Amino acid sequence: MTDKFDTSINDLGLPVDILNKIPGGYHCCIDDEENGYPFVFIGDRFLEITGWTREEIEDRFENKFPNMVHPEDLDIALKYHAKGPNKYDLGEEDKVYRILGKNGYIWVTGTANEARINGRDYIQGTISNITSFLKEEEQYKRALEESNKKAENYNEQLRDQLLIINSVAEVFICLYYIDMKDYSFVELGKTTDDVRMVIGEKGDARLAYENMCKYLVHDTYRDRIKEFTELSNLSERLKDKQWISHPFIDFNSEWMEGFFIAAERDEEGNCKHAIWGVKNIHEEKTRELSYRNTLKKNEDIIAAAGMGVWNIFLFDNEKPRMTANAKMRELLSLPAEVTDENEIYEAWHSRIKPEALESVNASVAAMMSGEKNENTYLWIDPILGEQYVRCGGVAEKVEGKGWILRGYHYNVNKEVLEEQQKQRDLEEALKAAEVANKAKTNFLYNMSHDIRTPLNAILGYSNLLKMGKNPDKHDEYLEKIEQSGEYLLGIINNILDMARIDSGETKLDLESYVIDERVNYSDLFYADVKKKNLHISQEMDIEHRHVIGDLPKIKQIVMNLVSNAIKYTPDNGHIHVSMKELPCDIEDSVKFRFSVKDDGIGMSEDFQKHLFDSFTRERNTTESKILGTGLGLSIVKKLVDLMSATITVESKMGQGSCFTIEIVQKKTDTNTNDKDLENETVDVGKFAGKRILLAEDNELNAEIAVEILNDMGIIVDHVEDGLKCVARMDEMEAGTYQLILMDVQMPVMDGYKASQNIRSFDDREKAGIPIFAMTANAFEEDKKNAYAAGMNGHVAKPININELIKTLSTVLCNKE
């Protein structure tokens, strides 16, 4: 229940912390007599004075102020608000009445005023416990009556009264006793010298008040205090009241409050004797004014933040209406002359997007259930058009009438659109990650199968060779072991190619080359073509054959496409390779179209959307019986993109596929010999008697290399690490070795460091010996690292004997 009070007062923008600390018991009610002035907020001091908790007040008194007042004092307590046209007039009078506290009725003095907040009337005020004061006053009255009977003169009566009044005087700056018959007065309490000098200790109260207003009251309040201290109508003003009061500012610019208390009445209820008192309320009043300023500033701050503040009235049997602050009117684009609250409501409600109405209605229902609610929805801004806005607020039940909603409204279109874009990006990223993860999972499954297949062949045929049976099939076993090993190497090369491209290490190596038609694809893929009895044809229609580009990568693309066509074309099928020149709008350039067409199994339309995704195959190896990792076409696509070329595919299930690549190359007049397309033959007999140094830490690799080299007639000295290689070169005479084959990854000292040490020898002949890296590190970056360490070439493992012969010939055949 505490939340209910606090939430209501917060919605009004009032400073709860300050109100809870006000010395008087602060409380705020709805100015609604019909519904019993229900509380909106009850301050901590109010609870301390009465002894009740907020929950007890709501349960026992139905949260209504009049239910706490003594029935005999209702007429006094309920005349509760200021009169006159100025609802904030500081001339309210204090009331004295009884309120039921935890331990019985207590006498309180109450001050109150009307306040209009967010278009609604409220009553706010304070109460102070004067029970002890009035008890003492009652004792004084009884003593006075007894004294009247017994005493012989008025002065004796005053001395008896002083015994009672002095205990109360501590609360006031001064206290005076006034006889309403002749308006004479006598000082009852301790008074400052300055005040006594102006007013005196006794005399005519009318003259005293005239001097007080002239010398002790600030000129801004002089007229009002003159009116308040008019004694001719005081008895009438106190007719139904225990006391009245009025605040003012004194000559020291401090806030004071003057009180008239009915001390004695006649049989008709007219005041016979009154007490005048003044107390200092500067601290309390300063807080109140600060609070009022804060209210104004809060509304200004909210408006400066771009928020409109509104109140919506949903009363029974009435059309909905709305009040709006200046900022809200600006957001609604309402001209100043529009004051009708129904029209203001319609200006807001009619612009809610129809699809957002359900959400807005749900927010209203949530507010009415007692919770603060905030909602973001589409709204048609009069200037900006369709925009996202955010509204938040609370609802207050008005008994017998309906509901009042209070809240704020501001534009959040930019924030919402940005958040929606982030959400879409996250969803797309998640979807892409899921697709990639699924593709990699399938790839690992397929690769596991594809790798195990050639491994099984290699191990199986090796075991058959060991068994020594069927000697006439040994050559066939060896050929199948070699084929399986080459296939396994192809899988590894594809994975390495993909890794190198994805890492950004693959760059275009532009050189002049000649487009030549001498490539015989049947020879390159002889085994598969022969086995499946495929027919491969090719045509060339090119005018400008001398161009600049990266021929190895172009060959890799075409070879991949031809290899795929061979895989997916059934026996006796046809494959056609075409190279044509197309018109080109780019100066000094030529445009080529390469196409590979087959009449194979084709692809579905759905799979074509993911054709170039990594690790993707329409059917895995187990289903299709066709070996592959699903990386070939992904590599092709990445190489095509690297060369700013294009690739397209046309395919239908069961009718084959046609891949087409279009690429632009620079023209050149340079005549070059396409050594890559020439089949040069090397006479290995020239290697006989040559001596090389092999640095290899793996014993099996060393044994294979030595056997291959010995078969060529080459003498091989073997060392196990780079440090021993450097030591061997240092101790042997220059010219002992014609070449060093250097592994890169070795213990003690790696091949890079060993090469650098050899290049630093003082003996320049030794330092200049050719060094070739022979390593499984086959990335382009590894080759660059080898050259950077002073090596002359690079031979990849596993060793391709034909490539090794060509490499050795560049050194050994030129050595005398």
Side-chain angles (χ1 to χ4, degrees):
M1 297 182 185
T2 301
D3 290 340
K4 176 177 180 180
F5 296 123
D6 289 344
T7 299
S8 298
I9 205 70
N10 279 326
D11 295 334
L12 299 179
L14 302 180
V16 175
D17 291 340
I18 294 176
L19 298 178
N20 280 329
K21 296 176 182 177
I22 291 177
Y26 180 85
H27 55 285
C28 183
C29 305
I30 299 175
D31 189 0
D32 187 349
E33 182 177 357
E34 181 179 348
N35 289 292
Y37 301 98
F39 284 113
V40 175
F41 176 78
I42 302 175
D44 291 344
R45 283 288 299 132
F46 188 100
L47 299 175
E48 291 175 12
I49 290 170
T50 62
W52 300 110
T53 65
R54 291 181 175 90
E55 290 80 4
E56 289 171 338
I57 289 175
E58 182 172 6
D59 293 337
R60 178 161 183 156
F61 301 105
E62 298 181 352
N63 195 40
K64 296 179 180 179
F65 173 77
N67 293 351
M68 300 183 71
V69 180
H70 193 286
E72 295 178 2
D73 296 337
L74 280 173
D75 289 343
I76 299 173
L78 295 184
K79 291 184 178 180
Y80 198 60
H81 50 78
K83 298 175 176 62
N86 186 353
K87 293 186 178 182
Y88 296 98
D89 185 4
L90 298 177
E92 299 91 354
E93 300 173 347
D94 279 12
K95 282 72 63 179
V96 176
Y97 51 91
R98 287 164 288 181
I99 286 182
L100 181 60
K102 190 90 170 188
N103 299 316
Y105 281 98
I106 57 175
W107 283 96
V108 299
T109 173
T111 64
N113 58 30
E114 284 186 340
R116 188 169 183 83
I117 304 173
N118 294 335
R120 182 67 185 272
D121 290 332
Y122 295 85
I123 299 174
Q124 55 183 355
T126 61
I127 62 169
S128 297
N129 189 341
I130 60 169
T131 302
S132 60
F133 166 82
L134 292 180
K135 284 181 179 178
E136 291 170 349
E137 183 184 21
E138 189 66 24
Q139 293 173 5
Y140 154 73
K141 290 170 64 177
R142 286 195 299 270
L144 183 61
E145 291 172 357
E146 293 175 359
S147 296
N148 284 333
K149 296 177 183 179
K150 301 177 181 179
E152 297 178 354
N153 57 59
Y154 183 70
N155 288 331
E156 289 180 355
Q157 296 175 11
L158 289 180
R159 282 196 298 271
D160 292 335
Q161 294 170 11
L162 283 175
L163 295 175
I164 301 171
I165 299 300
N166 281 341
S167 62
V168 183
E170 296 298 326
V171 180
F172 297 90
I173 294 175
C174 59
L175 279 177
Y176 299 92
Y177 190 83
I178 302 173
D179 188 331
M180 297 297 295
K181 183 177 181 180
D182 58 5
Y183 302 125
S184 62
F185 78 95
V186 61
E187 181 183 312
L188 295 179
K190 181 170 61 178
T191 305
T192 64
D193 292 339
D194 291 342
V195 174
R196 184 179 289 114
M197 184 180 297
V198 174
I199 296 178
E201 296 183 23
K202 60 182 178 179
D204 190 328
R206 291 168 294 186
L207 179 60
Y209 285 130
E210 183 179 342
N211 290 334
M212 182 190 78
C213 291
K214 185 175 181 180
Y215 298 109
L216 299 180
V217 177
H218 194 280
D219 56 4
T220 57
Y221 279 85
R222 189 166 294 143
D223 291 340
R224 278 180 277 182
I225 294 302
K226 278 184 179 180
E227 182 180 351
F228 181 69
T229 55
E230 174 60 48
L231 295 177
S232 62
N233 60 7
L234 178 60
S235 180
E236 183 180 349
R237 284 185 284 149
L238 285 172
K239 182 79 173 179
D240 299 321
K241 301 179 179 66
Q242 191 63 39
W243 67 12
I244 58 175
S245 67
H246 199 296
F248 64 92
I249 298 177
D250 71 359
F251 64 101
N252 289 321
S253 297
E254 291 208 352
W255 281 97
M256 302 289 170
E257 189 165 16
F259 293 84
F260 280 116
I261 302 172
E264 183 183 5
R265 299 180 187 274
D266 59 21
E267 294 179 356
E268 296 178 358
N270 297 315
C271 181
K272 294 175 60 179
H273 294 92
I275 295 175
W276 164 258
V278 176
K279 69 177 181 179
N280 189 310
I281 60 167
H282 187 72
E283 182 178 355
E284 178 182 341
K285 196 66 177 179
T286 300
R287 288 176 180 171
E288 177 188 341
L289 294 176
S290 175
Y291 149 71
R292 291 186 179 183
N293 289 334
T294 300
L295 284 181
K296 180 64 170 63
K297 289 179 181 178
N298 285 345
E299 183 170 328
D300 292 342
I301 290 171
I302 292 173
M307 294 186 183
V309 179
W310 48 261
N311 295 278
I312 295 177
F313 301 87
L314 302 176
F315 286 171
D316 299 338
N317 302 317
E318 292 184 16
K319 289 183 179 180
R321 50 192 176 88
M322 172 188 279
T323 62
N325 72 344
K327 185 61 183 180
M328 187 65 183
R329 293 179 67 89
E330 177 187 331
L331 293 172
L332 294 172
S333 293
L334 286 174
E337 58 269 19
V338 177
T339 59
D340 184 86
E341 295 179 355
N342 300 119
E343 190 174 344
I344 295 173
Y345 174 85
E346 189 62 23
W348 163 72
H349 191 269
S350 64
R351 294 193 179 111
I352 300 173
K353 288 280 288 184
E355 57 266 34
L357 277 173
E358 183 178 351
S359 173
V360 173
N361 291 336
S363 292
V364 172
M367 293 180 197
M368 290 179 175
S369 69
E371 65 179 73
K372 182 178 180 180
N373 188 270
E374 188 174 72
N375 186 23
T376 299
Y377 59 91
L378 278 171
W379 188 74
I380 308 300
D381 187 281
I383 298 174
L384 302 176
E386 186 175 296
Q387 298 282 298
Y388 281 98
V389 296
R390 184 166 294 154
C391 288
V394 295
E396 175 191 343
K397 177 69 173 177
V398 181
E399 293 298 331
K401 287 191 175 182
W403 293 88
I404 300 176
L405 311 182
R406 297 183 176 88
Y408 51 86
H409 170 111
Y410 64 104
N411 189 300
V412 291
N413 196 63
K414 180 180 178 182
E415 294 87 339
V416 171
L417 293 181
E418 288 178 351
E419 185 62 30
Q420 288 178 348
Q421 185 58 48
K422 289 180 182 178
Q423 187 63 32
R424 285 193 295 269
D425 292 344
L426 286 173
E427 290 174 355
E428 290 176 4
L430 177 61
K431 184 177 180 180
E434 290 174 346
V435 171
N437 186 59
K438 182 178 180 181
K440 288 182 180 180
T441 300
N442 293 336
F443 159 72
L444 290 174
Y445 173 81
N446 291 333
M447 188 176 66
S448 174
H449 178 274
D450 291 355
I451 288 176
R452 288 175 181 273
T453 298
L455 280 177
N456 181 64
I458 292 170
L459 295 175
Y461 287 120
S462 296
N463 287 330
L464 289 175
L465 287 172
K466 285 182 181 180
M467 294 169 61
K469 296 180 179 180
N470 301 320
D472 56 332
K473 290 190 175 182
H474 283 190
D475 289 342
E476 180 183 345
Y477 294 163
L478 290 172
E479 182 180 353
K480 291 181 177 179
I481 289 174
E482 182 179 6
Q483 291 174 353
S484 298
E486 289 176 353
Y487 172 69
L488 187 58
L489 180 60
I491 294 175
I492 295 173
N493 285 338
N494 273 342
I495 296 172
L496 294 178
D497 281 344
M498 180 59 69
R500 185 166 65 249
I501 294 171
D502 286 342
S503 68
E505 293 299 326
T506 299
K507 307 294 182 185
L508 291 179
D509 189 8
L510 301 179
E511 293 181 348
S512 60
Y513 70 94
V514 179
I515 297 289
D516 201 305
E517 62 182 346
R518 290 177 293 167
V519 179
N520 190 325
Y521 298 103
S522 298
D523 291 342
L524 290 174
F525 302 100
Y526 175 76
D528 288 331
V529 171
K530 181 180 179 182
K531 180 180 179 180
K532 300 174 73 173
N533 193 29
L534 300 176
H535 304 280
I536 299 181
S537 60
Q538 59 180 325
E539 66 172 316
M540 176 181 285
D541 183 11
I542 293 176
E543 178 183 354
H544 301 91
R545 298 193 179 191
H546 297 275
V547 292
I548 297 175
D550 193 329
L551 179 61
K553 290 183 176 62
I554 293 176
K555 288 177 61 178
Q556 184 179 0
I557 291 171
V558 177
M559 291 303 103
N560 256 312
L561 296 178
V562 173
S563 175
N564 260 14
I566 292 173
K567 284 182 184 178
Y568 294 105
T569 301
D571 294 355
N572 302 311
H574 295 81
I575 299 170
H576 182 70
V577 181
S578 171
M579 293 180 284
K580 292 184 178 181
E581 182 175 331
L582 303 176
C584 184
D585 297 332
I586 303 175
E587 186 177 359
D588 296 327
S589 299
V590 60
K591 188 175 186 179
F592 297 130
R593 175 188 290 162
F594 302 101
S595 63
V596 178
K597 184 177 182 180
D598 64 66
D599 55 5
I601 62 175
M603 294 172 285
S604 67
E605 290 185 8
D606 288 339
F607 178 70
Q608 290 179 48
K609 299 174 184 178
H610 307 285
L611 179 61
F612 298 111
D613 293 349
S614 300
F615 315 119
T616 303
R617 302 177 66 190
E618 183 160 25
R619 291 177 291 168
N620 61 31
T621 303
T622 303
E623 294 174 321
S624 64
K625 307 300 182 183
I626 300 173
L627 300 178
T629 60
L631 289 175
L633 287 177
S634 180
I635 293 172
V636 166
K637 182 64 167 66
K638 290 180 182 294
L639 291 176
V640 166
D641 291 342
L642 184 65
M643 292 186 284
S644 299
T646 62
I647 182 169
T648 57
V649 60
E650 295 179 6
S651 183
K652 288 187 178 180
M653 292 291 290
Q655 297 182 26
S657 303
C658 180
F659 288 85
T660 301
I661 297 168
E662 293 186 359
I663 183 172
V664 175
Q665 304 277 263
K666 280 285 186 181
K667 295 179 184 178
T668 180
D669 295 329
T670 304
N671 291 320
T672 58
N673 295 320
D674 187 2
K675 295 182 179 179
D676 291 307
L677 297 179
E678 293 179 359
N679 296 318
E680 298 181 350
T681 302
V682 179
D683 182 5
V684 295
K686 295 181 179 181
F687 297 162
K690 304 294 184 181
R691 190 173 184 180
I692 70 173
L693 179 60
L694 173 65
E696 171 64 69
D697 65 300
N698 185 280
E699 185 176 345
L700 181 59
N701 287 342
E703 181 180 353
I704 293 173
V706 169
E707 286 293 332
I708 292 173
L709 294 169
N710 286 166
D711 283 347
M712 299 178 188
I714 299 173
I715 301 170
V716 181
D717 289 346
H718 173 228
V719 291
E720 292 80 13
D721 59 59
L723 184 61
K724 290 180 179 179
C725 181
V726 173
R728 177 66 63 88
M729 282 296 298
D730 188 38
E731 69 184 23
M732 301 298 287
E733 292 183 5
T736 302
Y737 301 112
Q738 285 75 55
L739 174 68
I740 298 176
L741 291 177
M742 181 83 73
D743 190 17
V744 171
Q745 293 182 331
M746 293 185 293
V748 185
M749 180 183 290
D750 64 42
Y752 297 140
K753 186 65 175 176
S755 298
Q756 291 168 349
N757 285 346
I758 292 172
R759 295 299 186 222
S760 66
F761 284 172
D762 293 335
D763 187 327
R764 302 320 299 163
E765 185 176 352
K766 288 185 179 181
I769 185 171
I771 304 175
F772 277 40
M774 189 166 71
T775 173
N777 293 354
F779 284 133
E780 194 67 32
E781 182 181 357
D782 299 314
K783 294 180 182 180
K784 292 179 180 179
N785 290 338
Y787 292 129
M791 296 181 179
N792 302 92
H794 186 280
V795 178
K797 294 179 184 176
I799 298 172
N800 182 302
I801 295 179
N802 290 331
E803 292 298 325
L804 178 61
I805 291 173
K806 290 181 181 180
T807 302
L808 293 176
S809 67
T810 61
V811 176
L812 301 182
C813 291
N814 293 328
K815 284 281 188 181
E816 295 189 4

